[in-house]
Amino acid sequence: MTDTFKSIVIERVSPELDSGRYPVKREVGETFEVWADIFKEGHDLIAAVLKYRTQRSQSWRDVPMRHVDNDRWMGSFLLEENTRYIYTIEAFPDPFRSWAAEVAKKIAVGQDVASELSEGMALLRQTIARLSGRDRQALQEYARRLEDAPTQADAVGVAGEPELEGLMTRHLDRNAATVYDRELEVVVDRMAARYAAWYEMFPRSQGREPNRSATFQECEARLPAIQAMGFDVVYLPPVHPIGRTNRKGRNNALEAAPGDPGSPWAIGSEHGDHKAVDPALGTLADFDRFVSAVRARGMEVALDFAIQCSPDHPYVKEHPEWFFRRPDGTIKYAENPPKKYQDVYPVNFYGEGWEALWDEMKSILLHWIGHGVQIFRVDNPHTKPVSFWEWLIREIQAEHPDVIFLSEAFTRPKMMRVLAKVGFTQSYTYFTWRNFKQELMEYLTELTQSEMQEYFRGNFFTNTPDILPEILQHGGRPAFKLRLVLAATLSSLYGVYSGGYELCENAAVPGTEEYLNSEKYEYRVWDWDRPGHITDYITRVNRIRRENPALHAYKNLRFYPSEDDNILLYGKMTSARDNVILVAVNLDPFAPHTSVLHVPLAEIGLGSEETYQMHELITDTRHLWKGSANRITLDPAVEPAAIFAVRRWTRREQSFDYYF
Amino acid sequence: MTDTFKSIVIERVSPELDSGRYPVKREVGETFEVWADIFKEGHDLIAAVLKYRTQRSQSWRDVPMRHVDNDRWMGSFLLEENTRYIYTIEAFPDPFRSWAAEVAKKIAVGQDVASELSEGMALLRQTIARLSGRDRQALQEYARRLEDAPTQADAVGVAGEPELEGLMTRHLDRNAATVYDRELEVVVDRMAARYAAWYEMFPRSQGREPNRSATFQECEARLPAIQAMGFDVVYLPPVHPIGRTNRKGRNNALEAAPGDPGSPWAIGSEHGDHKAVDPALGTLADFDRFVSAVRARGMEVALDFAIQCSPDHPYVKEHPEWFFRRPDGTIKYAENPPKKYQDVYPVNFYGEGWEALWDEMKSILLHWIGHGVQIFRVDNPHTKPVSFWEWLIREIQAEHPDVIFLSEAFTRPKMMRVLAKVGFTQSYTYFTWRNFKQELMEYLTELTQSEMQEYFRGNFFTNTPDILPEILQHGGRPAFKLRLVLAATLSSLYGVYSGGYELCENAAVPGTEEYLNSEKYEYRVWDWDRPGHITDYITRVNRIRRENPALHAYKNLRFYPSEDDNILLYGKMTSARDNVILVAVNLDPFAPHTSVLHVPLAEIGLGSEETYQMHELITDTRHLWKGSANRITLDPAVEPAAIFAVRRWTRREQSFDYYF
């Protein structure tokens, strides 16, 4: 026997992204299944193991794989740690099991197997020679029994004992192994990477006084309300000092009026750089206290990471080589002709000082990680080199695997995907602009059912400081409610920008998706009790999310037929089917619609003639349905959406709930 | 500008098989298209080239790729040589075109572009500095014109001249290139790899006397008839000396009677090994003459390559280490319990002398290549290591790229596929057992439209010495005709085993697919004029193949709707649509069936109200059809199949053919 060539074919390994060029993603606590085609020439039986280790460990563990069907094998292990795991596959000829199978066939047709029995004994002896301890003794006992067997048939009977096969397979000759060409990687994130409700707020607008910035202390006062609504992440736009040169005024005016605070994305001034906080918000110590207060309420802070500088940023003087220069030596501001962003200098990732620049960017993240931040929402990553992000995220997560990166890339689909592949934990999506049934189904199916599910986690924002979508501008309160339900139940990750989402704020700069009087350029004071607010509705939807584990998963989304084009029907269930959620949404905020819904009885595990309970969780009402086809009417003026927990209608429930 | 990291993403390259682990296949004369997603952060324009070279050349050639849509690029080149080509992709930032686009946008909205013009001039000067010769002069002239332009708008006009952009793009700074991670391979075979009709015959049965072997000289006498039928390849089962020990008798009897010739797959005797010819057939010189005679008739010889030995093979004494030994030292014959093949010793590819064995196998092929053989049909490759084939085929084709290997693997699908991936030019298929409409459509769609089309060329055999399929046993002459048409028109590669195919020989060992009185174990004498033969039919079908280039292609198969389950409708057309073939086959050999066929007018380029000519080529009859839906009746007792050449009904044709 030689090990100088690979005798076993191992291919079509799944999951495997772009031949292992990029890692796939999972979350702690999941069982990780690895599939592969594994086969060899001829009739020899083979065995295979799935090998894995964490990135910090040099020693492999392995679990046996089993043959499922048609040369397809599967093995699995539990992802216990928030880290990167490496995995690969090894397969071996299994001469003893091959021999046992052959000799059993021969004895069954009455052939003499004296020679075969000697061969089997030789295999046994070879294995014994390699072993010590208990297994060696057990095999020696088997060898004795084989030799002493009164008849050939008895010997073949001993040879076929499962314990013997188990021992021999456990101690296969690994020298004959074929090792899969590639070592693959799975990034195992903590659960917040997959399941979280985000609340985006401008800290400077969390006070009661117009014309001055609120402070981190004032922000703390908002936390009980945010916690009560059920959010998990409090996301802050940049909190750093804002430049004065070319500062933008209200509604993006070219010149700021005295007292205008400027865009927080124009970072850096004489008060400091990306590692400082805007003095108007407080001190670093105030920031730390705010972070602790958020933590104390079971939430966490997400910070904006925007790589750009105001003309007053200290880098401009200290590192002019990090910027784009004109032939006359002046530094170029950002442009997207004909638009000009005079208050922002983009950074040159290809300039002479690029290595120092990359290191400096890393040090910014480490700085904020040191101040308790574990989530970064990254501004416009698609305008920086993809290689930079791959390097940066890997560097950070090597030491801090709990850090989560959200990519704010609203751009071409392939760029959005590759940013997720190179490391972004989550990504913004096109959800914000998908309003109709067919486009929602197509897009969500792509996100959750195609290969994208291996690496791209869509964080569904209803709105952002830059995007007040048309449906919210014109659809009123029903639109705010239905878009919230869609975001919160289509994806396990979603967010709202609180620049009035709970207040149904819908005033836009005419003809644009920009907010009128946007917080990006001025202080706002919000009346959180303003009539028409949907705070209670948000609270209820977030509680429904929390109480139903089916809604904590991302890839379990399935669409089901509803006969009306305005009504979208979809569901999520746990793999044990002990939590089954069906959601029906009227996508038209203006008019009631009625539709027959087709409940997927077989998938849920219900009989076609069985009565079952549909517990509508927003209104907390219960309905008894039977059969697949059931009619529903959704009036947006009352409730544009229904979230049903589907339950088997058992005798016990009957006795309690019959009249509800 | 630095080149220390990759700034451009190049991914989803197509074709690319298992991340370049295996080559794809094409044929000489094809234009090879390579597609890829290529993109970069931000708004910079990029350029890309497809690089390629033959395996013997170290210097790359490159052709520009063009952006097609949505970050997808395409480039192509002509495959001129029968060899392996290596290809990859390189992409570059295109700063001049990026600059020109930006400055054009700015001038269009009236911005001052003095600074931008200096930047453009700097780019021009950098390029000029790198050049010499005519292009340098041309760029210097442009630089002069830019400087002398009376207005900024004039300068921008000069900057946008296509010739200038072309020059600048041709001389892009290649230091900033991103090179695709992988070099990919395409095996470019000669046309016979894709388009050929095979005729398999036992040379020893080509004479007129029973009880003795025909000779190669007698075989020569058969060549005019084979040529007349229109075959391209004359494939011979093994022609080597046959062992005497444990020789099989007629109808696979365990003991041969005196005079029984034995199976030609039990190779080797005192007369020689795999490099010798059976003395009963003649000498090596006779073989050479036969090969020349085949060549002279525009055909070529395919030889069987069967790696196994009779107990009398010289290797058994010279290289006992190449075989499997029992504990008592005797050599094991082939078994597939409970079946025993006592006349054949399998070879041990894992034994101690494996390297010498592999080299010896290679030397056998080289020997026959030296005797004019360029096609090998490989017996049971799936019982030998996949790595061995990968090595062997690559070794042979490195020196002899014109050599074609046909894999006789009738086994599990994944093994069949991987043998094609590692190098087999063609493969046997499951076609032989696919008789019904749905299964034919599914299997053929998989072969010709899935990723398999990149590497797997199915050679469709109607029958083999081992397989007389049930439909031929029971379907009579109509079955032989319809299976011939299916094989010859579904695939561009097909074959018949002449152990009576043209004579509609259908006597089987009862309950099996084995021929009764198989040529594998005895001499047969055939009466080629036997009543009921379909020689003329075969001749006609092969002529139709030859005359219609659409039938020379493999991947252009498309199925179309026919309303009756017994009638299969499919078509092939050239990419220029100047040869359009539609085939309708009644799959039921026992009864006439009638169906509406749906002709794909739009695909063919016919208007929905246009009259067109359906020229049925087997019967040479013409029909005028109009519209998509047309009714056809196929009576297997008359003609089970119709092969139509579809032609536009022009005025000129009308005047000549109107009454036909």
Side-chain angles (χ1 to χ4, degrees):
Chain A
M1 188 70 82
T2 171
D3 58 345
T4 48
F5 63 92
K6 295 185 171 189
S7 67
I8 300 181
V9 177
I10 305 174
E11 55 179 24
R12 285 219 308 140
V13 175
S14 171
E16 178 183 286
L17 207 53
D18 295 5
S19 0
R21 167 72 181 80
Y22 304 110
V24 298
K25 297 192 177 86
R26 292 292 188 275
E27 300 87 35
V28 172
E30 266 191 278
T31 296
F32 188 55
E33 287 191 0
V34 178
W35 296 73
D37 290 350
I38 307 178
F39 54 94
K40 183 178 181 295
E41 85 280 359
H43 303 286
D44 290 350
L45 297 178
I46 55 176
V49 296
L50 171 60
K51 300 175 59 180
Y52 66 98
R53 60 178 177 84
T54 64
Q55 63 177 359
R56 287 168 188 276
S57 164
Q58 283 313 306
S59 65
W60 293 96
R61 282 183 280 178
D62 59 43
V63 288
M65 297 183 76
R66 67 183 176 84
H67 179 243
V68 178
D69 187 30
N70 190 18
D71 296 322
R72 192 109 183 113
W73 295 62
M74 195 274 279
S76 66
F77 62 95
L78 183 65
L79 301 168
E80 291 174 296
E81 250 186 84
N82 175 200
T83 182
R84 288 172 190 236
Y85 284 76
I86 321 294
Y87 60 100
T88 191
I89 290 171
E90 223 170 284
F92 326 87
D94 194 338
F96 187 80
R97 272 175 59 238
S98 303
W99 167 84
E102 194 185 314
V103 79
K105 278 187 205 161
K106 288 182 177 175
I107 201 100
V109 295
Q111 293 182 11
D112 178 85
V113 294
S115 170
E116 284 77 3
L117 285 172
S118 313
E119 287 181 287
M121 190 58 82
L123 288 171
L124 209 53
R125 295 257 173 255
Q126 282 162 24
T127 306
I128 288 168
R130 276 190 282 111
L131 299 186
S132 59
R134 184 169 298 187
D135 286 355
R136 179 188 171 95
Q137 282 176 17
L139 286 180
Q140 279 174 326
E141 176 57 27
Y142 270 110
R144 224 168 284 128
R145 286 179 56 202
L146 268 176
E147 278 176 337
D148 297 348
T151 68
Q152 289 189 353
D154 290 328
V156 173
V158 172
E161 288 185 17
E163 192 202 341
L164 174 56
E165 288 203 356
L167 280 164
M168 291 296 285
T169 297
R170 194 181 318 152
H171 298 292
L172 278 173
D173 180 6
R174 298 266 172 131
N175 286 323
T178 296
V179 184
Y180 183 55
D181 307 42
R182 294 187 271 272
E183 295 188 356
L184 306 170
E185 216 180 40
V186 51
V187 173
V188 181
D189 290 303
R190 59 193 174 99
M191 190 52 75
R194 185 183 85 202
Y195 168 64
W198 288 46
Y199 186 82
E200 175 174 7
M201 71 175 198
F202 275 66
R204 67 191 185 190
S205 295
Q206 302 309 313
R208 306 232 167 256
E209 292 177 49
N211 303 324
R212 80 148 174 86
S213 175
T215 64
F216 284 126
Q217 285 194 29
E218 287 169 291
C219 289
E220 279 182 50
R222 280 282 294 147
L223 295 179
I226 297 168
Q227 180 189 16
M229 277 188 283
F231 286 100
D232 306 298
V233 175
V234 179
Y235 153 44
L236 311 179
V239 295
H240 317 302
I242 298 169
R244 293 210 160 266
T245 306
N246 296 326
R247 178 179 283 189
K248 295 289 171 111
R250 298 178 179 219
N251 285 310
N252 202 20
L254 205 57
E255 281 185 39
D260 282 352
S263 161
W265 282 276
I267 296 169
S269 76
E270 75 276 15
H271 297 297
D273 60 10
H274 282 73
K275 295 176 185 168
V277 296
D278 185 351
L281 293 168
T283 64
L284 253 178
D286 293 330
F287 177 79
D288 291 344
R289 225 184 68 170
F290 176 74
V291 170
S292 302
V294 170
R295 278 250 180 82
R297 296 187 172 276
M299 301 186 289
E300 55 180 315
V301 169
L303 219 57
D304 209 296
F305 182 49
I307 305 183
Q308 57 220 10
C309 298
S310 94
D312 307 317
H313 195 292
Y315 293 164
V316 176
K317 281 197 187 113
E318 293 162 18
H319 292 285
E321 75 278 11
W322 289 351
F323 299 91
F324 294 96
R325 324 278 295 263
R326 290 197 192 78
D328 66 4
T330 58
I331 293 178
K332 293 170 107 174
Y333 50 77
E335 290 181 90
N336 189 4
K339 286 194 203 164
K340 300 180 175 194
Y341 306 90
Q342 297 92 335
D343 58 339
V344 167
Y345 286 172
V347 151
N348 182 1
F349 282 85
Y350 299 92
E352 268 179 35
W354 71 270
E355 280 154 312
L357 170 68
W358 289 29
D359 284 335
E360 173 70 13
M361 295 300 105
K362 179 180 163 189
S363 78
I364 293 171
L365 295 180
L366 290 175
H367 171 80
W368 292 111
I369 291 167
H371 285 274
V373 176
Q374 290 173 308
I375 306 182
F376 295 95
R377 175 271 198 194
V378 176
D379 193 65
N380 277 333
H382 56 288
T383 59
K384 287 91 191 170
V386 173
S387 300
F388 166 71
W389 297 118
E390 186 164 28
W391 170 83
L392 182 68
I393 295 173
R394 188 175 279 273
E395 286 278 308
I396 294 292
Q397 289 186 338
E399 296 303 313
H400 303 281
D402 49 352
V403 172
I404 287 171
F405 292 89
L406 166 62
S407 155
E408 188 240 9
F410 289 114
T411 183
R412 283 129 59 205
K414 288 166 188 174
M415 176 55 84
M416 289 179 66
R417 289 202 287 258
V418 86
L419 288 168
K421 287 183 189 177
V422 301
F424 278 94
T425 320
Q426 309 175 352
S427 179
Y428 281 64
T429 69
Y430 304 141
F431 164 75
T432 316
W433 300 279
R434 295 288 180 273
N435 294 306
F436 302 110
K437 187 170 172 176
Q438 200 53 39
E439 65 185 12
L440 278 166
M441 287 174 67
E442 278 170 19
Y443 186 52
L444 269 292
T445 299
E446 184 190 356
L447 288 184
T448 65
Q449 306 307 311
S450 80
E451 192 189 56
M452 283 182 80
Q453 59 156 268
E454 298 289 357
Y455 62 88
F456 187 103
R457 299 188 188 97
N459 192 335
F460 283 18
F461 270 74
T462 53
N463 63 325
T464 79
D466 299 318
I467 311 164
L468 174 62
E470 228 177 330
I471 187 169
L472 297 182
Q473 293 185 31
H474 305 298
R477 210 164 171 262
F480 281 81
K481 287 166 77 176
L482 79 88
R483 294 296 296 176
L484 182 91
V485 168
L486 288 173
T489 59
L490 284 169
S491 176
S492 48
L493 285 170
Y494 91 103
V496 299
Y497 157 54
S498 81
Y501 196 88
E502 58 265 60
L503 305 179
C504 303
E505 172 78 23
N506 65 357
V509 175
T512 76
E513 291 185 326
E514 286 283 330
Y515 276 89
L516 189 67
N517 305 325
S518 168
E519 291 183 317
K520 289 194 287 187
Y521 310 108
E522 63 188 272
Y523 305 120
R524 293 289 298 266
V525 169
W526 298 103
D527 171 9
W528 301 110
D529 298 317
R530 193 165 94 179
H533 72 78
I534 56 167
T535 306
D536 293 346
Y537 193 79
I538 294 173
T539 305
R540 191 168 288 262
V541 169
N542 278 336
R543 202 176 64 215
I544 292 168
R545 276 170 57 90
R546 196 157 295 193
E547 289 172 355
N548 289 279
L551 297 174
H552 303 188
Y554 182 81
K555 307 173 190 174
N556 60 344
L557 176 69
R558 299 292 181 275
F559 290 97
Y560 303 111
S562 84
E563 296 183 3
D564 186 285
D565 269 355
N566 296 284
I567 293 187
L568 183 70
L569 176 66
Y570 54 93
K572 291 193 164 195
M573 55 184 90
T574 54
S575 48
R577 298 196 294 205
D578 55 1
N579 182 231
V580 178
I581 297 292
L582 281 180
V583 184
V585 181
N586 177 358
L587 300 172
D588 175 2
F590 304 109
H593 291 280
T594 296
S595 180
V596 171
L597 306 182
H598 293 275
V599 178
L601 300 178
E603 262 178 70
I604 297 173
L606 292 169
S608 61
E609 292 302 312
E610 201 174 336
T611 297
Y612 52 95
Q613 193 198 118
M614 295 286 279
H615 181 184
E616 205 290 309
L617 301 170
I618 298 174
T619 54
D620 194 20
T621 55
R622 290 163 200 250
H623 314 264
L624 292 183
W625 285 14
K626 190 173 164 179
S628 171
N630 290 276
R631 189 170 297 271
I632 196 174
T633 296
L634 291 168
D635 180 351
V638 185
E639 288 301 344
I643 306 177
F644 295 106
V646 188
R647 300 202 191 95
R648 172 158 274 119
W649 182 242
T650 64
R651 221 169 280 263
R652 191 169 159 281
E653 272 181 313
Q654 272 178 24
S655 64
F656 285 103
D657 294 338
Y658 195 74
Y659 296 102
F660 291 95
Chain B
M1 187 69 83
T2 173
D3 59 344
T4 48
F5 63 91
K6 295 186 170 189
S7 68
I8 300 180
V9 177
I10 304 174
E11 57 179 22
R12 285 219 308 138
V13 175
S14 172
E16 179 185 286
L17 207 52
D18 295 6
S19 0
R21 167 74 181 79
Y22 304 110
V24 298
K25 297 191 177 88
R26 293 291 189 274
E27 299 87 36
V28 171
E30 268 190 278
T31 295
F32 188 55
E33 287 191 358
V34 178
W35 296 73
D37 290 350
I38 308 178
F39 53 93
K40 184 177 181 294
E41 86 279 359
H43 303 286
D44 288 351
L45 297 179
I46 55 177
V49 296
L50 171 60
K51 298 176 59 179
Y52 66 99
R53 61 179 177 83
T54 65
Q55 62 177 356
R56 287 168 188 276
S57 165
Q58 283 315 305
S59 64
W60 293 96
R61 281 182 281 177
D62 58 43
V63 288
M65 299 183 76
R66 66 182 176 84
H67 179 243
V68 178
D69 187 30
N70 189 19
D71 296 322
R72 193 110 183 113
W73 293 63
M74 194 274 278
S76 66
F77 61 95
L78 183 65
L79 300 167
E80 291 174 296
E81 251 186 84
N82 176 201
T83 183
R84 288 171 190 236
Y85 284 76
I86 321 294
Y87 60 100
T88 192
I89 291 172
E90 225 170 283
F92 326 87
D94 195 338
F96 188 80
R97 272 176 58 240
S98 303
W99 167 84
E102 196 186 311
V103 78
K105 278 187 204 160
K106 287 182 178 175
I107 202 100
V109 295
Q111 294 181 11
D112 179 84
V113 293
S115 169
E116 284 76 4
L117 286 172
S118 314
E119 286 180 288
M121 190 60 82
L123 288 170
L124 209 55
R125 294 259 173 254
Q126 283 161 22
T127 305
I128 288 168
R130 278 190 282 111
L131 298 187
S132 58
R134 185 169 301 187
D135 285 356
R136 179 189 171 96
Q137 281 176 15
L139 285 180
Q140 280 174 325
E141 176 57 27
Y142 271 109
R144 225 167 285 128
R145 284 180 56 204
L146 269 175
E147 279 176 337
D148 298 347
T151 67
Q152 289 189 353
D154 289 328
V156 173
V158 172
E161 287 186 18
E163 193 204 341
L164 175 56
E165 287 203 355
L167 280 164
M168 290 297 284
T169 298
R170 194 180 319 150
H171 297 293
L172 277 173
D173 180 7
R174 296 265 172 133
N175 286 323
T178 295
V179 184
Y180 184 55
D181 306 43
R182 294 187 272 271
E183 293 188 357
L184 306 170
E185 217 180 40
V186 52
V187 174
V188 181
D189 291 304
R190 60 193 173 99
M191 190 51 75
R194 185 183 85 201
Y195 168 64
W198 287 46
Y199 185 83
E200 175 175 8
M201 71 175 197
F202 276 66
R204 67 191 185 190
S205 293
Q206 304 308 314
R208 305 234 169 253
E209 293 176 48
N211 304 322
R212 78 147 173 88
S213 176
T215 64
F216 283 126
Q217 285 192 30
E218 287 169 291
C219 290
E220 280 182 49
R222 279 282 292 148
L223 295 179
I226 298 167
Q227 180 190 16
M229 278 188 283
F231 287 100
D232 306 298
V233 175
V234 179
Y235 153 46
L236 311 179
V239 295
H240 317 301
I242 297 169
R244 294 213 161 264
T245 305
N246 296 327
R247 177 179 284 189
K248 295 289 170 111
R250 297 178 179 220
N251 285 309
N252 202 20
L254 205 57
E255 282 184 38
D260 283 353
S263 161
W265 282 277
I267 295 168
S269 78
E270 74 276 16
H271 297 297
D273 60 10
H274 281 73
K275 294 176 186 167
V277 295
D278 186 350
L281 291 169
T283 63
L284 253 179
D286 293 332
F287 176 80
D288 292 344
R289 227 185 65 171
F290 176 75
V291 170
S292 302
V294 171
R295 278 249 182 83
R297 295 188 173 275
M299 302 185 289
E300 56 179 315
V301 169
L303 220 56
D304 210 296
F305 182 50
I307 304 183
Q308 57 221 10
C309 298
S310 95
D312 308 316
H313 195 291
Y315 293 164
V316 175
K317 282 195 186 115
E318 293 162 17
H319 293 285
E321 74 278 12
W322 289 351
F323 299 91
F324 294 96
R325 326 278 297 264
R326 291 196 191 79
D328 66 5
T330 58
I331 292 178
K332 294 169 106 174
Y333 50 77
E335 290 182 273
N336 190 5
K339 285 194 204 163
K340 300 178 174 193
Y341 305 90
Q342 296 92 338
D343 59 338
V344 166
Y345 287 171
V347 151
N348 181 1
F349 282 85
Y350 299 92
E352 269 178 34
W354 72 271
E355 279 154 312
L357 170 68
W358 289 29
D359 284 336
E360 174 70 12
M361 296 300 105
K362 179 181 162 189
S363 78
I364 294 170
L365 295 180
L366 290 175
H367 171 80
W368 292 111
I369 291 166
H371 286 273
V373 177
Q374 290 174 306
I375 306 184
F376 296 95
R377 174 272 197 195
V378 177
D379 192 66
N380 276 334
H382 55 289
T383 60
K384 286 92 191 168
V386 173
S387 299
F388 166 70
W389 296 118
E390 186 165 27
W391 170 82
L392 183 68
I393 295 172
R394 188 175 280 272
E395 285 278 308
I396 294 294
Q397 289 186 340
E399 294 305 313
H400 304 280
D402 50 352
V403 172
I404 286 170
F405 292 89
L406 166 63
S407 156
E408 188 239 11
F410 290 114
T411 185
R412 283 132 57 207
K414 288 166 188 175
M415 176 56 85
M416 289 179 65
R417 288 201 287 257
V418 84
L419 288 168
K421 287 184 190 177
V422 301
F424 278 94
T425 321
Q426 307 175 352
S427 179
Y428 281 65
T429 68
Y430 305 140
F431 164 76
T432 316
W433 300 279
R434 295 288 180 273
N435 294 306
F436 301 109
K437 187 170 171 176
Q438 198 54 37
E439 65 186 13
L440 278 165
M441 288 174 66
E442 278 170 17
Y443 186 51
L444 269 291
T445 300
E446 185 191 355
L447 288 184
T448 65
Q449 307 308 312
S450 80
E451 192 190 56
M452 283 183 80
Q453 61 156 266
E454 297 289 356
Y455 62 88
F456 187 102
R457 299 189 189 95
N459 192 335
F460 282 19
F461 270 75
T462 53
N463 62 327
T464 80
D466 300 318
I467 311 164
L468 175 62
E470 228 178 330
I471 188 169
L472 297 183
Q473 294 183 31
H474 305 298
R477 209 163 170 266
F480 281 82
K481 288 167 75 176
L482 80 87
R483 294 296 297 175
L484 182 89
V485 168
L486 288 173
T489 59
L490 284 169
S491 177
S492 48
L493 285 170
Y494 90 105
V496 300
Y497 157 54
S498 82
Y501 196 88
E502 58 266 59
L503 305 179
C504 302
E505 171 78 21
N506 64 357
V509 175
T512 75
E513 291 184 327
E514 287 284 329
Y515 276 89
L516 188 67
N517 305 323
S518 168
E519 291 182 318
K520 287 194 290 186
Y521 310 109
E522 63 188 272
Y523 305 120
R524 292 288 298 267
V525 170
W526 298 102
D527 171 9
W528 301 111
D529 299 319
R530 194 165 95 179
H533 73 77
I534 56 168
T535 305
D536 295 344
Y537 193 79
I538 295 173
T539 305
R540 192 168 286 264
V541 168
N542 278 338
R543 202 177 61 215
I544 292 168
R545 276 170 57 89
R546 195 156 298 190
E547 290 172 355
N548 289 279
L551 297 174
H552 303 189
Y554 181 81
K555 306 174 190 174
N556 60 344
L557 176 69
R558 299 292 180 277
F559 290 98
Y560 303 110
S562 84
E563 296 183 3
D564 186 285
D565 268 355
N566 296 284
I567 294 188
L568 183 68
L569 176 66
Y570 53 94
K572 290 193 163 195
M573 55 184 92
T574 53
S575 49
R577 298 196 294 204
D578 55 2
N579 182 229
V580 178
I581 297 293
L582 282 179
V583 184
V585 182
N586 177 358
L587 300 172
D588 175 1
F590 303 110
H593 290 280
T594 296
S595 180
V596 170
L597 306 181
H598 294 275
V599 177
L601 300 178
E603 262 178 69
I604 297 172
L606 292 168
S608 60
E609 291 302 314
E610 199 173 337
T611 297
Y612 52 96
Q613 192 199 119
M614 295 287 277
H615 181 185
E616 204 291 309
L617 302 170
I618 298 174
T619 55
D620 194 18
T621 54
R622 291 162 199 249
H623 314 266
L624 292 182
W625 287 14
K626 189 174 165 180
S628 171
N630 290 277
R631 189 171 298 269
I632 195 173
T633 297
L634 292 168
D635 181 350
V638 186
E639 289 302 344
I643 305 177
F644 296 104
V646 187
R647 300 203 191 96
R648 171 158 276 118
W649 184 242
T650 63
R651 220 171 282 263
R652 191 172 160 277
E653 273 180 312
Q654 273 179 22
S655 62
F656 285 103
D657 295 338
Y658 195 76
Y659 295 101
F660 291 96

